[in-house]
Amino acid sequence: MRTAIYPGTFDPITYGHMDIAKRAANMFDRLIVGVANSPHSNKQPVFSIDERVDLARQVFQENTNIEVQPFSGLLVDFAQEHQAGVIIRGLRAVSDFEYEFQLSGMNQALRPQIETVFLPTSPQYTYLSSTLAKEVARLGGDVRPFVDACVYAALVDKMRQQC
Ligand code: ADP
């Protein structure tokens, strides 16, 4: 069984993430969407780990070879625990590249047998990020074109709580 991991913060999951996950799931027997409990670079998530996992599970409920799992600690340990030989990351623009390249290099140094595979974003999601979706929602914009209906409802709720 060929298993890949698609890790991220998913705060919250967007159509851009879903597109990458579904395309990756077509290439492997099993795709594990790994939701990072302790995100990188001082990101302070708006949604709790349970909320982020729950939303990701809802959006992939019909995708039988995609499962969603939270993880803490090193990504390469999480990958090994699940016998995953491949880490999937999405690339939107050149600006993603530098960080992603460093990350893949570090993961390669830590666990050479695990490969990172980059998938380019589909053109309609080039500009889409969780950060921008949250910002638009916070300012009262309509984020329905960017996220699944369950994520939209959760975002509206969260923004109301934060007011
Ligand atoms: P992280 O905090 O690990 O960067 P994110 O949840 O922001 O987690 O993103 C997870 C992965 O999905 C990253 O590889 C990111 O580049 C990719 N990604 C995010 N948004 C998009 C998008 N619109 N199109 C393609 N890839 C994306």
Side-chain angles (χ1 to χ4, degrees), residues 6 9-14 17-18 21-22 30-36 48-71 78 82 148-151 154:
Y6 176 36
T9 311
F10 304 112
D11 185 41
I13 193 153
T14 68
H17 295 127
M18 288 165 65
K22 288 177 187 176
R30 180 167 72 133
L31 181 79
I32 299 174
V33 174
V35 183
S48 70
I49 181 68
D50 290 346
E51 289 170 326
R52 288 180 281 133
V53 167
D54 182 55
L55 289 171
R57 286 195 175 137
Q58 285 187 55
V59 303
F60 294 123
Q61 61 191 348
E62 268 152 35
N63 300 88
T64 49
N65 72 333
I66 301 181
E67 66 183 77
V68 178
Q69 297 291 343
F71 76 98
F78 177 65
H82 292 275
D148 184 271
C150 68
V151 178

Side-chain angles (χ1 to χ4, degrees), residues 30-43:
R30 180 167 72 133
L31 181 79
I32 299 174
V33 174
V35 183
N37 193 5
S38 41
H40 66 83
S41 56
N42 310 322
K43 276 193 183 177

